[in-house]
């Protein structure tokens, strides 16, 4: 029979464990860790002889103390050291958290991102928070957000339903970027189903004019079931890997597909998707089991 003293010891130990886990999820994993997650693949139809390294950063959510301009510069320097041929930014530069000491202005986080460099350039798409935090863009129902202008202002190429042809060692490939799928919010009534996307997958892929492989940048991975096999690889962020992840599963994922596209390398019908766990936090400054990460993809 358990005694009162034994019960208090168990209760105290349990409380201490919960407090320790909470402290780790709040103060250690979001702030002090940075993982380099690597993938190597040769998708169907990939050009023989074309070897390409992509470095991908997603979901910065710039704010203090969690993602200061100084920390962004440090992350960018680490990304530059990874030997990428091309660097891609997968959206959500702006923060919408309430648990912040200061919001980092777009002029600051864009200047920090200008630290990035790669032989084939730095290329970006927008995320939902970049749209949601811009009231003027919401009222206009489109156009450019402050994030579009901030990135373009520091020389980072922004893709809004646009495909460009690039070359590496004489081999061509296409980089296509979609505008955000949840860009416009329906007034005061929040409902993911009522969001209006500004993405145009068919129009973007129609710009591809030869047989070279296509890499698609799409902030939300929910577009993936519509992506044709013509696309060699889709790169997404948005989910943060669920931000809290146990035994490979996340209890809450901001996707209509639940955990299906929450994180990692997904293959469906010979189509490849890689979802980054991202770098920052959304809603609450907590990460557990999904440390901030830079993604490196070696193709070919």
């Amino acid at each position: 029979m358990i005694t009162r003293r034994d019960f208090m010891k168990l209760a105290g130990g349990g409380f201490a464990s919960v407090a320790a886990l909470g402290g780790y999820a709040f103060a250690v994993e979001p702030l002090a860790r940075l993982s380099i997650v690597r993938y190597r693949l040769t998708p169907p139809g990939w050009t023989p002889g074309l070897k390409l390294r992509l470095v991908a950063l997603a979901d910065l959510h710039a704010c203090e103390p969690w993602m200061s301009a100084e920390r962004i510069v440090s992350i960018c320097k680490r990304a530059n050291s990874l030997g990428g041929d091309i660097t891609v930014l997968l959206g959500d530069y702006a923060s919408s958290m309430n648990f912040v000491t200061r919001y980092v202005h777009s002029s600051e986080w864009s200047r920090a991102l200008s630290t990035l460099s790669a032989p084939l350039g730095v290329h970006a798409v927008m995320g939902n928070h970049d749209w949601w935090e811009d009231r003027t863009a919401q009222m206009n129902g489109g156009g450019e957000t402050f994030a579009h202008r901030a990135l373009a202002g520091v020389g980072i190429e922004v893709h809004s339903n646009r495909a460009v042809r690039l070359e590496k060692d004489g081999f061509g490939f296409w980089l296509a970027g979609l505008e955000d799928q949840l860009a416009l919010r329906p007034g005061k009534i929040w409902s993911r189903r009522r969001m209006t996307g500004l993405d145009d997958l068919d129009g973007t892929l129609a710009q591809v004019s030869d047989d070279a492989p296509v890499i698609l940048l799409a902030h939300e991975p929910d577009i993936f079931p519509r992506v044709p096999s013509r696309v060699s690889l889709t790169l997404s962020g948005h989910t943060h890997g669920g931000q809290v992840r146990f035994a490979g599963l996340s209890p809450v994922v901001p996707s209509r597909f639940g955990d299906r596209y929450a994180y990692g390398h997904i293959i469906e019908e010979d189509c490849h998707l890689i979802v980054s766990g991202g770098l920052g936090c959304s809603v609450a400054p907590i990460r557990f089991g999904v440390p901030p990460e830079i993604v490196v993809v070696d193709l070919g």
Side-chain angles (χ1 to χ4, degrees):
M1 180 176 178
I2 189 169
T3 66
R4 183 175 182 276
R5 177 174 291 184
D6 291 335
F7 174 79
M8 293 303 292
K9 285 181 179 179
L10 287 171
F15 178 80
S17 298
V18 170
L21 287 173
Y24 172 83
F26 185 79
V28 177
E29 190 160 307
L31 278 167
R33 294 193 60 189
L34 179 63
S35 296
I36 310 301
V37 178
R38 298 177 182 272
Y39 301 92
R40 183 180 295 275
L41 61 147
T42 303
W46 188 255
T47 303
L50 173 56
K51 294 190 179 299
L52 185 70
R53 174 170 289 185
L54 296 98
V55 175
L57 283 69
D59 302 287
L60 285 160
H61 293 285
C63 64
E64 293 182 358
W66 313 104
M67 188 61 68
S68 66
E70 292 77 14
R71 187 180 181 200
I72 294 171
V73 169
S74 175
I75 290 169
C76 291
K77 289 180 178 179
R78 184 73 177 94
N80 289 343
S81 73
L82 297 172
D85 299 304
I86 185 170
T87 298
V88 296
L89 301 170
L90 300 174
D92 273 5
Y93 316 99
S95 176
S96 61
M97 280 200 303
N98 294 322
F99 304 94
V100 301
T101 58
R102 188 177 78 88
Y103 288 101
V104 177
H105 192 269
S106 59
S107 62
E108 298 175 77
W109 57 250
S110 61
R111 186 165 58 249
L113 286 171
S114 71
T115 306
L116 290 167
S117 64
L120 297 179
V122 182
H123 303 258
V125 293
M126 291 296 113
N128 55 304
H129 287 281
D130 305 315
W131 281 96
W132 293 357
E133 294 302 304
D134 191 321
R135 295 181 181 180
T136 301
Q138 291 293 309
M139 288 189 295
N140 292 339
E144 287 188 335
T145 67
F146 61 76
H148 286 88
R149 294 188 292 272
L151 290 172
V154 296
I156 294 175
E157 193 165 358
V158 181
H159 297 261
S160 179
N161 298 323
R162 187 169 70 95
V164 295
R165 193 180 191 278
L166 302 169
E167 285 194 2
K168 163 84 185 298
D169 298 331
F171 298 103
F173 68 95
W174 290 85
L175 187 71
L178 294 185
E179 195 48 84
D180 190 69
Q181 301 158 55
L182 302 171
L184 303 178
R185 302 179 70 168
K188 295 181 179 180
I189 303 174
W190 196 98
S191 169
R192 187 172 298 273
R193 292 182 178 179
R194 298 181 62 189
M195 300 286 178
T196 300
L198 297 176
D199 55 300
D200 181 2
L201 178 62
D202 294 339
T204 302
L205 296 182
Q207 299 167 39
V208 175
S209 57
D210 62 22
D211 295 332
V214 179
I215 298 165
L216 179 68
L217 311 180
H219 177 66
E220 293 91 357
D222 285 17
I223 194 75
F224 187 55
R226 291 184 48 219
V227 175
S229 58
R230 174 71 182 85
V231 174
S232 298
L233 174 65
T234 301
L235 288 168
S236 296
H238 180 63
T239 64
H240 301 208
Q243 209 160 286
V244 174
R245 201 161 179 83
F246 299 95
L249 294 173
S250 298
V252 178
V253 180
S255 166
R256 68 178 185 271
F257 295 101
D259 203 63
R260 179 175 168 185
Y261 304 133
Y263 180 72
H265 184 194
I266 298 105
I267 305 172
E268 291 183 356
E269 299 180 3
D270 281 338
C271 292
H272 290 257
L273 166 69
I274 291 176
V275 182
S276 169
L279 290 156
C281 298
S282 180
V283 181
I286 294 172
R287 276 183 173 263
F288 186 85
V290 195
E293 69 179 35
I294 299 172
V295 170
V296 178
V297 184
D298 285 303
L299 291 161

